Amino acid sequence: VVSAISLFVTQSVIPEQMEKLALLVEQENPERYAEIQSKLADGEKITDRADLMAELAEAGVNMMMDENEEELQRLLVKIKEKKEKGEDLDILREQLEAAFGTTIEEFVER
């Protein structure tokens, strides 16, 4: 999934958006950002290198996944509790879709 997202981002995202992503990764994960930057030649920018854009996109996606992991864990506990009680799980649809950033149907189609 991460590789597919990285490929999409590197082929579809304009340089301005990559620069915004670079700022985010630099703020949230400075070690990873420094590692990516260390691979640049003098005068090169990340947007000059598809391989480094892919690494940057992957770092960004991983950050988003980490941020949502705690929320997903809480939702999984709620699902388990409701399932054990025999309750309808549709009540959690909105929370699940917010956590996945898509509808359940779209998520399943991936």
Side-chain angles (χ1 to χ4, degrees), residues 10-40:
T10 59
Q11 291 180 349
S12 302
V13 176
I14 60 174
E16 181 180 318
Q17 292 169 319
M18 289 304 292
E19 289 173 17
K20 288 179 184 177
L21 180 59
L23 288 173
L24 177 66
V25 172
E26 182 178 20
Q27 291 171 352
E28 299 294 323
N29 192 347
E31 296 85 15
R32 181 68 177 118
Y33 182 76
E35 181 183 325
I36 293 169
Q37 285 281 55
S38 71
K39 297 176 183 180
L40 291 171

Short mmCIF file of all heavy atoms in Angstrom, two decimals, residues 10-40:
data_model
loop_
_atom_site.label_atom_id
_atom_site.label_comp_id
_atom_site.label_asym_id
_atom_site.label_seq_id
_atom_site.Cartn_x
_atom_site.Cartn_y
_atom_site.Cartn_z
N THR A 10 4.58 10.53 -6.26
CA THR A 10 5.73 10.99 -7.04
C THR A 10 5.36 11.27 -8.49
O THR A 10 6.01 12.08 -9.14
CB THR A 10 6.88 9.97 -7.00
OG1 THR A 10 6.42 8.72 -7.51
CG2 THR A 10 7.42 9.82 -5.60
N GLN A 11 4.33 10.63 -8.99
CA GLN A 11 3.93 10.85 -10.38
C GLN A 11 2.85 11.91 -10.52
O GLN A 11 2.67 12.46 -11.61
CB GLN A 11 3.43 9.54 -11.01
CG GLN A 11 4.54 8.54 -11.19
CD GLN A 11 4.04 7.25 -11.81
OE1 GLN A 11 2.85 7.02 -11.91
NE2 GLN A 11 4.96 6.41 -12.22
N SER A 12 2.13 12.24 -9.44
CA SER A 12 0.97 13.11 -9.55
C SER A 12 1.08 14.43 -8.81
O SER A 12 0.36 15.37 -9.11
CB SER A 12 -0.27 12.37 -9.04
OG SER A 12 -0.46 11.19 -9.76
N VAL A 13 1.92 14.49 -7.80
CA VAL A 13 1.97 15.67 -6.95
C VAL A 13 2.92 16.71 -7.54
O VAL A 13 4.02 16.38 -7.96
CB VAL A 13 2.41 15.28 -5.53
CG1 VAL A 13 2.57 16.52 -4.66
CG2 VAL A 13 1.40 14.33 -4.91
N ILE A 14 2.49 17.95 -7.53
CA ILE A 14 3.33 19.00 -8.08
C ILE A 14 4.42 19.39 -7.07
O ILE A 14 4.28 19.13 -5.88
CB ILE A 14 2.49 20.23 -8.48
CG1 ILE A 14 1.74 20.80 -7.27
CG2 ILE A 14 1.53 19.90 -9.60
CD1 ILE A 14 1.02 22.09 -7.55
N PRO A 15 5.51 19.98 -7.56
CA PRO A 15 6.63 20.31 -6.66
C PRO A 15 6.24 21.13 -5.43
O PRO A 15 6.78 20.91 -4.35
CB PRO A 15 7.58 21.08 -7.56
CG PRO A 15 7.33 20.53 -8.92
CD PRO A 15 5.84 20.25 -8.95
N GLU A 16 5.31 22.05 -5.56
CA GLU A 16 4.88 22.86 -4.42
C GLU A 16 4.35 21.98 -3.30
O GLU A 16 4.65 22.20 -2.12
CB GLU A 16 3.83 23.87 -4.86
CG GLU A 16 3.34 24.77 -3.73
CD GLU A 16 2.30 25.76 -4.22
OE1 GLU A 16 2.47 26.33 -5.31
OE2 GLU A 16 1.31 25.95 -3.49
N GLN A 17 3.57 20.97 -3.65
CA GLN A 17 3.03 20.07 -2.64
C GLN A 17 4.13 19.22 -2.02
O GLN A 17 4.09 18.92 -0.83
CB GLN A 17 1.94 19.19 -3.25
CG GLN A 17 0.70 20.00 -3.63
CD GLN A 17 -0.27 19.19 -4.46
OE1 GLN A 17 0.13 18.44 -5.34
NE2 GLN A 17 -1.55 19.35 -4.17
N MET A 18 5.11 18.84 -2.81
CA MET A 18 6.24 18.07 -2.27
C MET A 18 7.02 18.93 -1.28
O MET A 18 7.50 18.42 -0.27
CB MET A 18 7.15 17.58 -3.39
CG MET A 18 6.56 16.46 -4.24
SD MET A 18 6.03 14.99 -3.31
CE MET A 18 7.59 14.35 -2.77
N GLU A 19 7.14 20.21 -1.56
CA GLU A 19 7.84 21.10 -0.64
C GLU A 19 7.09 21.21 0.68
O GLU A 19 7.71 21.23 1.75
CB GLU A 19 8.06 22.47 -1.28
CG GLU A 19 9.08 22.43 -2.40
CD GLU A 19 9.21 23.73 -3.18
OE1 GLU A 19 8.75 24.78 -2.67
OE2 GLU A 19 9.76 23.69 -4.28
N LYS A 20 5.77 21.25 0.62
CA LYS A 20 4.96 21.28 1.85
C LYS A 20 5.15 19.99 2.64
O LYS A 20 5.28 20.01 3.86
CB LYS A 20 3.49 21.50 1.52
CG LYS A 20 3.17 22.90 1.05
CD LYS A 20 1.71 23.04 0.71
CE LYS A 20 1.41 24.42 0.14
NZ LYS A 20 0.01 24.55 -0.26
N LEU A 21 5.17 18.87 1.92
CA LEU A 21 5.39 17.58 2.56
C LEU A 21 6.78 17.54 3.19
O LEU A 21 6.96 17.04 4.30
CB LEU A 21 5.21 16.44 1.56
CG LEU A 21 5.40 15.03 2.09
CD1 LEU A 21 4.42 14.73 3.23
CD2 LEU A 21 5.24 14.02 0.98
N ALA A 22 7.76 18.08 2.48
CA ALA A 22 9.13 18.12 3.01
C ALA A 22 9.17 18.90 4.33
O ALA A 22 9.83 18.48 5.28
CB ALA A 22 10.07 18.73 1.99
N LEU A 23 8.47 20.02 4.38
CA LEU A 23 8.43 20.81 5.62
C LEU A 23 7.80 20.02 6.76
O LEU A 23 8.28 20.05 7.89
CB LEU A 23 7.67 22.12 5.40
CG LEU A 23 8.38 23.17 4.56
CD1 LEU A 23 7.45 24.35 4.28
CD2 LEU A 23 9.65 23.65 5.25
N LEU A 24 6.74 19.32 6.45
CA LEU A 24 6.07 18.51 7.47
C LEU A 24 6.99 17.42 7.99
O LEU A 24 7.13 17.22 9.20
CB LEU A 24 4.78 17.90 6.91
CG LEU A 24 4.02 16.98 7.84
CD1 LEU A 24 3.47 17.75 9.04
CD2 LEU A 24 2.89 16.28 7.10
N VAL A 25 7.62 16.68 7.07
CA VAL A 25 8.52 15.60 7.48
C VAL A 25 9.70 16.17 8.26
O VAL A 25 10.12 15.61 9.28
CB VAL A 25 9.00 14.77 6.26
CG1 VAL A 25 10.08 13.78 6.66
CG2 VAL A 25 7.82 14.04 5.62
N GLU A 26 10.21 17.32 7.81
CA GLU A 26 11.33 17.95 8.52
C GLU A 26 10.94 18.30 9.96
O GLU A 26 11.73 18.11 10.88
CB GLU A 26 11.78 19.20 7.77
CG GLU A 26 12.97 19.89 8.40
CD GLU A 26 13.43 21.11 7.64
OE1 GLU A 26 12.63 21.66 6.84
OE2 GLU A 26 14.58 21.52 7.83
N GLN A 27 9.73 18.79 10.16
CA GLN A 27 9.27 19.16 11.50
C GLN A 27 8.98 17.94 12.37
O GLN A 27 9.32 17.91 13.55
CB GLN A 27 8.01 20.02 11.41
CG GLN A 27 8.24 21.38 10.83
CD GLN A 27 6.94 22.13 10.55
OE1 GLN A 27 5.85 21.56 10.66
NE2 GLN A 27 7.05 23.39 10.18
N GLU A 28 8.32 16.95 11.78
CA GLU A 28 7.85 15.80 12.56
C GLU A 28 8.87 14.68 12.69
O GLU A 28 8.82 13.91 13.65
CB GLU A 28 6.55 15.25 11.95
CG GLU A 28 5.41 16.24 11.92
CD GLU A 28 4.92 16.61 13.31
OE1 GLU A 28 4.89 15.76 14.19
OE2 GLU A 28 4.57 17.81 13.50
N ASN A 29 9.76 14.56 11.72
CA ASN A 29 10.75 13.48 11.74
C ASN A 29 12.07 14.01 11.18
O ASN A 29 12.48 13.64 10.09
CB ASN A 29 10.23 12.29 10.91
CG ASN A 29 11.07 11.05 11.11
OD1 ASN A 29 12.16 11.09 11.67
ND2 ASN A 29 10.55 9.92 10.65
N PRO A 30 12.74 14.90 11.94
CA PRO A 30 13.95 15.54 11.43
C PRO A 30 15.08 14.58 11.06
O PRO A 30 15.83 14.84 10.12
CB PRO A 30 14.37 16.49 12.55
CG PRO A 30 13.57 16.14 13.73
CD PRO A 30 12.38 15.34 13.27
N GLU A 31 15.16 13.45 11.76
CA GLU A 31 16.22 12.48 11.44
C GLU A 31 16.00 11.89 10.04
O GLU A 31 16.94 11.77 9.25
CB GLU A 31 16.27 11.35 12.49
CG GLU A 31 16.64 11.81 13.87
CD GLU A 31 15.43 12.32 14.66
OE1 GLU A 31 14.27 12.06 14.27
OE2 GLU A 31 15.67 13.02 15.68
N ARG A 32 14.76 11.52 9.76
CA ARG A 32 14.45 10.94 8.44
C ARG A 32 14.65 11.98 7.34
O ARG A 32 15.17 11.67 6.27
CB ARG A 32 13.01 10.40 8.42
CG ARG A 32 12.61 9.77 7.11
CD ARG A 32 13.39 8.47 6.89
NE ARG A 32 12.94 7.85 5.66
CZ ARG A 32 13.73 7.63 4.61
NH1 ARG A 32 15.01 7.93 4.65
NH2 ARG A 32 13.25 7.09 3.52
N TYR A 33 14.24 13.21 7.62
CA TYR A 33 14.40 14.27 6.64
C TYR A 33 15.89 14.50 6.36
O TYR A 33 16.29 14.64 5.20
CB TYR A 33 13.75 15.57 7.14
CG TYR A 33 13.87 16.69 6.15
CD1 TYR A 33 13.04 16.72 5.03
CD2 TYR A 33 14.80 17.70 6.31
CE1 TYR A 33 13.14 17.74 4.09
CE2 TYR A 33 14.91 18.73 5.38
CZ TYR A 33 14.08 18.74 4.29
OH TYR A 33 14.19 19.75 3.36
N ALA A 34 16.71 14.52 7.39
CA ALA A 34 18.16 14.71 7.21
C ALA A 34 18.76 13.57 6.40
O ALA A 34 19.64 13.79 5.56
CB ALA A 34 18.84 14.82 8.57
N GLU A 35 18.27 12.37 6.63
CA GLU A 35 18.75 11.20 5.87
C GLU A 35 18.44 11.37 4.37
O GLU A 35 19.29 11.10 3.52
CB GLU A 35 18.09 9.94 6.41
CG GLU A 35 18.51 8.66 5.73
CD GLU A 35 17.76 7.46 6.29
OE1 GLU A 35 17.47 7.44 7.50
OE2 GLU A 35 17.45 6.55 5.48
N ILE A 36 17.24 11.82 4.07
CA ILE A 36 16.85 12.04 2.67
C ILE A 36 17.69 13.17 2.08
O ILE A 36 18.22 13.06 0.97
CB ILE A 36 15.34 12.34 2.57
CG1 ILE A 36 14.52 11.10 2.97
CG2 ILE A 36 14.97 12.79 1.15
CD1 ILE A 36 13.04 11.36 3.17
N GLN A 37 17.83 14.26 2.82
CA GLN A 37 18.60 15.41 2.34
C GLN A 37 20.06 15.05 2.08
O GLN A 37 20.68 15.59 1.17
CB GLN A 37 18.55 16.56 3.37
CG GLN A 37 17.24 17.29 3.40
CD GLN A 37 17.14 18.29 2.26
OE1 GLN A 37 17.28 17.96 1.10
NE2 GLN A 37 16.87 19.51 2.63
N SER A 38 20.61 14.13 2.87
CA SER A 38 22.02 13.76 2.73
C SER A 38 22.31 13.08 1.39
O SER A 38 23.46 13.00 0.97
CB SER A 38 22.44 12.84 3.88
OG SER A 38 21.87 11.56 3.75
N LYS A 39 21.29 12.62 0.72
CA LYS A 39 21.46 11.95 -0.57
C LYS A 39 21.47 12.92 -1.75
O LYS A 39 21.70 12.50 -2.89
CB LYS A 39 20.35 10.91 -0.76
CG LYS A 39 20.39 9.81 0.29
CD LYS A 39 19.22 8.86 0.15
CE LYS A 39 19.25 7.83 1.25
NZ LYS A 39 18.12 6.90 1.14
N LEU A 40 21.22 14.20 -1.48
CA LEU A 40 21.20 15.20 -2.55
C LEU A 40 22.62 15.65 -2.90
O LEU A 40 23.46 15.84 -2.02
CB LEU A 40 20.40 16.43 -2.11
CG LEU A 40 18.89 16.25 -1.96
CD1 LEU A 40 18.29 17.49 -1.31
CD2 LEU A 40 18.24 15.97 -3.29
#
